[in-house]
Amino acid sequence: MSDASPLARELIFGDQHDRIQQRLAALDPDLAAYIRDFAYDTVYQRPGLDLKTKELLACALLTSLGAEKELKTHLRGALRAGASETEVREALLFMAPYLGFPRVVAAFSQLQDLLEKRKAASE
Amino acid sequence: MSDASPLARELIFGDQHDRIQQRLAALDPDLAAYIRDFAYDTVYQRPGLDLKTKELLACALLTSLGAEKELKTHLRGALRAGASETEVREALLFMAPYLGFPRVVAAFSQLQDLLEKRKAASE
Amino acid sequence: MSDASPLARELIFGDQHDRIQQRLAALDPDLAAYIRDFAYDTVYQRPGLDLKTKELLACALLTSLGAEKELKTHLRGALRAGASETEVREALLFMAPYLGFPRVVAAFSQLQDLLEKRKAASE
Amino acid sequence: MSDASPLARELIFGDQHDRIQQRLAALDPDLAAYIRDFAYDTVYQRPGLDLKTKELLACALLTSLGAEKELKTHLRGALRAGASETEVREALLFMAPYLGFPRVVAAFSQLQDLLEKRKAASE
Amino acid sequence: MSDASPLARELIFGDQHDRIQQRLAALDPDLAAYIRDFAYDTVYQRPGLDLKTKELLACALLTSLGAEKELKTHLRGALRAGASETEVREALLFMAPYLGFPRVVAAFSQLQDLLEKRKAASE
Amino acid sequence: MSDASPLARELIFGDQHDRIQQRLAALDPDLAAYIRDFAYDTVYQRPGLDLKTKELLACALLTSLGAEKELKTHLRGALRAGASETEVREALLFMAPYLGFPRVVAAFSQLQDLLEKRKAASE
């Protein structure tokens, strides 16, 4: 990987990058290495789709799985990758006909939580 | 909706639009009306995300659900909405760390099937 | 169980009862025994909900699981337990806001298949 | 819709109707409108199945999805729509052979929570 | 069942056996009876697979379902049935290519929680 | 990896190894490489659990996902890794209380199919 350009995981996690990596390593060092090396530094680094699209896809997959904690991480990632709040809302609304409302309501709860924390932090 | 611009469902289904609508109406007329009026003419018509992104999200959701037949319809939709074959492949590969390989292998089987039919039709 | 009243499994499977039991026994005799003794002769035999409601619930669960073959068996079961075709259609339409459209479309495909076979058999 | 008869959502949410509607609107106003207009005022208002059956089906679907918070809302809805506590328990027990025990245990936890709150409120 | 050898549920729950049984009975006495009689005293008591393998399979199924609370119970069960911490970690890591990382991260969170409680209890 | 000992993927796929690899490569070469390099040559090659246990876990995960085609591949893999037919049946029966019967019935259908093909091939 290039020295010059930041990695996808640096862009989407920002100042939480090291904290996230440490949390995963505390769970299991090999798990953390697989996520970093395979998920982020291999699959996420592929060219062909921009990072914003990738993060919106991640939000779709995590909403479908009902994986709420990871979803919040990637809702933040989508915003950091350049999606506007409106685009994130549109992506979540778009999921309703495919997944039904319960999964989408749960996803908007994570978004609300994230936006409130951001607002509190900026005040 | 505007008279001038084509509807999302016309763009993504193309010459299969009427056949798809009729197949749904044969299943149940009210079901077909809900899918057309709510899913397509309300949710899909929202501005804020381009149709290509919407179709890639649809492919992610249908891969996650393991809904193979509907997935093929929207893999075709993604291509018709302007995604290149490479972009569709990238979207599917991107799903592997989130969903695991079995769902992704099943999705690529649908893509293979679709591309083979397209090739046969163009010959 | 009473000698006088038919068992739930006899009511919902009708003339297919023995064929279904034999198909399960061919898969695995212990599996067949668990399904008969625990699922049907214990859980299904409980009083408190009528058989029609139970079969509509079964259809909801199997639609959610995407278990299409078993769904067809219990769509037939719902009809045999006294649900009208309209009631079965209403139950399936009701699921759309909870599960999204793909699962419901797949369920109506099973219903269509079942109704066509019934019609062919009655002609 | 008729002025005279209460809406399905008024019946099943009771004195929590406005609070639920406001919570959804705070998540996203368009999401709240879709749930009200499509899920409740269109799909739920259809004749053909009584509201008690609809709420038992909703409980089945939400148990299958593992959507625990929404499940509690509709366990309450089932009771408000006329299901007895015994009928709700029977519906949950009925799900075990279809979904396995873990989902059903989680559903009974929501029911226990709901019944304890009701009891505390009535004392 | 033999008087001499302990039951599978006694082995995997250990000194929490009665507490778990009481918690289930408080949810619903018939649910508790079905879990004890069918799940544990029938299916778990079958010979042919050792208890350690059974508990690792249970962990796989509960990770796949995203049933985190029950997963913790059976991560403890796997350790009590003779799996080493390393074997449990290997089983969880093995799931990543099948289920994707989000489910596996959630499973390791339950394991971390369990190991921390064990450590605190032993100090 | 050692020159001397066969790889996990060679052991579980046997004479179908190259055909499976080619089928995946025809779907997408990068997908095939990820499955080979990450899933098989990294995760499957880890010591700590024997291959038979790994394949039984794979069968559990694929049964839970409802991924029937991949399940058949790993039911064969479990047998090739040293599980007896009885052990495979026990693993499938064990899943019933966790997943419910529909998923388990579908899994036994795949096993029946596999055993019939084996029998036909050996005659």
Side-chain angles (χ1 to χ4, degrees):
Chain A
M1 270 149 281
S2 157
D3 290 331
S5 59
L7 295 167
R9 59 183 157 88
E10 292 170 343
L11 287 165
I12 60 184
F13 296 136
D15 59 7
Q16 308 219 13
H17 177 275
D18 292 358
R19 191 189 58 77
I20 289 171
Q21 201 61 34
Q22 283 157 19
R23 184 176 69 84
L24 291 173
L27 291 178
D28 189 88
D30 289 357
L31 175 73
Y34 290 158
I35 291 175
R36 187 193 59 215
D37 296 344
F38 177 64
Y40 286 108
D41 293 353
T42 301
V43 175
Y44 260 89
Q45 288 297 124
R46 295 176 65 92
L49 286 177
D50 61 89
L51 195 55
K52 184 175 94 174
T53 301
K54 284 174 181 166
E55 283 299 272
L56 293 177
L57 290 172
C59 291
L61 298 168
L62 292 163
T63 298
S64 179
L65 289 170
E68 302 190 6
K69 194 172 179 180
E70 296 245 343
L71 174 59
K72 185 148 60 177
T73 301
H74 288 280
L75 289 167
R76 187 191 291 112
L79 294 169
R80 285 193 49 85
S84 66
E85 184 187 323
T86 299
E87 287 174 315
V88 172
R89 286 182 183 279
E90 289 301 320
L92 296 184
L93 288 169
F94 179 76
M95 297 175 204
Y98 285 101
L99 300 182
F101 290 111
R103 290 273 188 259
V104 176
V105 167
F108 270 109
S109 292
Q110 296 302 315
L111 180 63
Q112 185 182 47
D113 220 54
L114 170 66
L115 294 175
E116 281 171 5
K117 273 183 194 154
R118 287 200 149 199
K119 203 177 162 190
S122 75
E123 275 168 10
Chain B
M1 270 148 279
S2 157
D3 290 331
S5 59
L7 295 166
R9 59 183 156 89
E10 292 170 344
L11 287 166
I12 61 184
F13 297 137
D15 60 6
Q16 307 219 13
H17 177 274
D18 293 358
R19 190 189 59 78
I20 289 171
Q21 202 61 34
Q22 284 158 19
R23 183 176 70 85
L24 290 172
L27 290 178
D28 189 88
D30 289 357
L31 174 73
Y34 289 159
I35 292 175
R36 187 193 59 214
D37 296 344
F38 177 64
Y40 286 108
D41 293 353
T42 301
V43 176
Y44 261 89
Q45 288 297 125
R46 295 176 66 92
L49 287 177
D50 60 89
L51 195 55
K52 185 175 94 174
T53 301
K54 283 174 181 165
E55 282 300 272
L56 293 177
L57 290 172
C59 291
L61 298 168
L62 292 163
T63 298
S64 179
L65 289 170
E68 303 189 5
K69 194 173 177 178
E70 296 244 345
L71 173 59
K72 184 147 63 176
T73 301
H74 288 279
L75 289 168
R76 188 192 290 114
L79 294 169
R80 285 193 50 85
S84 65
E85 184 188 322
T86 299
E87 287 174 316
V88 172
R89 287 183 181 276
E90 288 301 321
L92 297 185
L93 288 169
F94 178 77
M95 297 175 203
Y98 285 100
L99 300 182
F101 289 110
R103 289 273 187 261
V104 175
V105 167
F108 270 108
S109 292
Q110 294 302 315
L111 180 64
Q112 184 182 49
D113 220 53
L114 171 65
L115 295 175
E116 280 171 4
K117 273 183 194 154
R118 287 200 150 200
K119 203 177 162 190
S122 75
E123 277 169 9
Chain C
M1 270 149 281
S2 156
D3 290 329
S5 60
L7 296 167
R9 59 182 157 89
E10 291 170 344
L11 287 166
I12 61 183
F13 296 137
D15 60 7
Q16 308 220 13
H17 176 275
D18 293 358
R19 192 190 57 78
I20 289 172
Q21 202 61 33
Q22 284 158 18
R23 184 177 69 85
L24 290 172
L27 290 178
D28 190 88
D30 288 357
L31 175 73
Y34 289 159
I35 292 175
R36 187 194 58 216
D37 296 345
F38 177 64
Y40 287 107
D41 292 353
T42 301
V43 176
Y44 261 89
Q45 288 297 124
R46 294 175 66 91
L49 288 177
D50 60 272
L51 195 56
K52 184 175 95 174
T53 301
K54 284 174 180 164
E55 282 301 271
L56 293 177
L57 290 172
C59 291
L61 299 168
L62 293 163
T63 298
S64 179
L65 290 171
E68 302 189 5
K69 194 173 178 179
E70 295 245 345
L71 173 60
K72 185 148 60 177
T73 300
H74 288 279
L75 289 168
R76 188 192 291 113
L79 294 169
R80 285 192 50 83
S84 67
E85 184 188 323
T86 299
E87 286 173 315
V88 172
R89 288 184 180 277
E90 288 301 321
L92 297 184
L93 288 169
F94 179 77
M95 298 176 203
Y98 286 100
L99 299 182
F101 289 109
R103 289 271 186 263
V104 176
V105 167
F108 270 108
S109 292
Q110 295 303 314
L111 180 63
Q112 185 181 47
D113 221 52
L114 170 66
L115 295 174
E116 281 172 5
K117 271 182 197 157
R118 287 199 150 200
K119 203 177 161 189
S122 74
E123 278 168 6
Chain D
M1 271 150 282
S2 157
D3 290 331
S5 59
L7 296 166
R9 57 182 157 91
E10 292 170 343
L11 288 166
I12 61 183
F13 297 137
D15 60 7
Q16 308 220 13
H17 177 275
D18 292 358
R19 191 189 58 76
I20 289 171
Q21 202 61 33
Q22 284 158 20
R23 184 176 70 84
L24 290 172
L27 291 179
D28 189 88
D30 288 358
L31 175 71
Y34 289 159
I35 291 175
R36 188 193 59 215
D37 296 345
F38 177 64
Y40 286 107
D41 292 353
T42 302
V43 176
Y44 261 89
Q45 289 297 124
R46 295 176 65 93
L49 287 177
D50 61 273
L51 195 56
K52 185 175 93 175
T53 301
K54 284 174 181 166
E55 283 300 272
L56 292 178
L57 289 172
C59 291
L61 299 168
L62 293 163
T63 298
S64 179
L65 289 170
E68 302 188 5
K69 195 173 177 178
E70 296 245 344
L71 173 60
K72 185 148 61 177
T73 301
H74 288 279
L75 289 168
R76 187 191 291 112
L79 293 170
R80 283 193 51 84
S84 65
E85 184 188 322
T86 298
E87 287 173 315
V88 172
R89 287 183 182 276
E90 289 301 320
L92 297 185
L93 288 169
F94 179 76
M95 298 176 203
Y98 286 100
L99 299 182
F101 290 110
R103 291 273 188 261
V104 176
V105 168
F108 270 108
S109 292
Q110 294 303 314
L111 180 64
Q112 184 182 49
D113 221 53
L114 171 65
L115 295 175
E116 281 172 3
K117 273 182 193 155
R118 288 199 149 198
K119 201 177 162 190
S122 75
E123 276 168 8
Chain E
M1 271 150 282
S2 157
D3 290 330
S5 59
L7 296 167
R9 57 183 158 89
E10 292 170 343
L11 287 166
I12 61 184
F13 296 137
D15 60 7
Q16 308 220 14
H17 176 274
D18 292 358
R19 192 190 57 77
I20 290 172
Q21 202 61 33
Q22 284 158 19
R23 184 176 69 84
L24 290 172
L27 291 179
D28 190 88
D30 288 358
L31 175 72
Y34 289 158
I35 292 176
R36 187 193 58 216
D37 296 344
F38 177 63
Y40 287 108
D41 293 353
T42 302
V43 176
Y44 261 90
Q45 288 297 123
R46 294 175 65 92
L49 287 177
D50 61 273
L51 195 56
K52 184 174 95 174
T53 301
K54 283 174 181 166
E55 282 301 271
L56 293 177
L57 289 172
C59 291
L61 298 167
L62 292 163
T63 298
S64 180
L65 289 170
E68 303 189 5
K69 194 173 176 178
E70 296 245 344
L71 173 60
K72 184 149 60 177
T73 300
H74 288 279
L75 289 168
R76 188 191 291 113
L79 293 170
R80 284 191 50 83
S84 66
E85 184 187 323
T86 299
E87 286 173 316
V88 171
R89 287 184 181 277
E90 289 301 319
L92 297 184
L93 288 169
F94 179 77
M95 298 176 204
Y98 285 100
L99 299 182
F101 289 110
R103 288 273 187 261
V104 176
V105 167
F108 271 108
S109 292
Q110 294 303 315
L111 180 63
Q112 184 181 49
D113 222 52
L114 170 65
L115 295 175
E116 282 171 3
K117 272 181 195 155
R118 287 199 150 199
K119 202 177 161 189
S122 74
E123 277 167 7
Chain F
M1 269 151 282
S2 157
D3 290 331
S5 59
L7 295 166
R9 57 182 158 90
E10 291 170 344
L11 287 166
I12 62 184
F13 296 137
D15 61 7
Q16 308 220 13
H17 176 275
D18 292 358
R19 191 189 58 77
I20 289 172
Q21 202 61 35
Q22 285 158 19
R23 184 176 70 84
L24 290 173
L27 291 178
D28 190 89
D30 289 358
L31 175 72
Y34 289 159
I35 292 175
R36 188 194 57 216
D37 297 344
F38 177 63
Y40 286 107
D41 293 352
T42 302
V43 175
Y44 261 89
Q45 288 298 124
R46 295 176 65 92
L49 288 177
D50 61 273
L51 195 55
K52 185 175 94 174
T53 301
K54 285 174 180 165
E55 283 300 271
L56 293 177
L57 289 172
C59 291
L61 298 168
L62 293 163
T63 298
S64 179
L65 289 170
E68 302 189 5
K69 195 173 176 178
E70 296 245 345
L71 173 59
K72 185 148 61 177
T73 300
H74 289 279
L75 289 168
R76 188 191 290 113
L79 294 170
R80 284 193 50 83
S84 66
E85 184 188 322
T86 298
E87 286 174 316
V88 172
R89 287 183 182 277
E90 288 301 320
L92 296 185
L93 288 169
F94 179 77
M95 298 176 203
Y98 286 100
L99 299 181
F101 290 109
R103 291 272 188 263
V104 175
V105 167
F108 271 107
S109 292
Q110 295 302 315
L111 180 64
Q112 183 182 48
D113 221 52
L114 170 65
L115 295 175
E116 281 171 5
K117 273 182 194 155
R118 287 199 150 199
K119 202 178 162 188
S122 75
E123 277 169 8

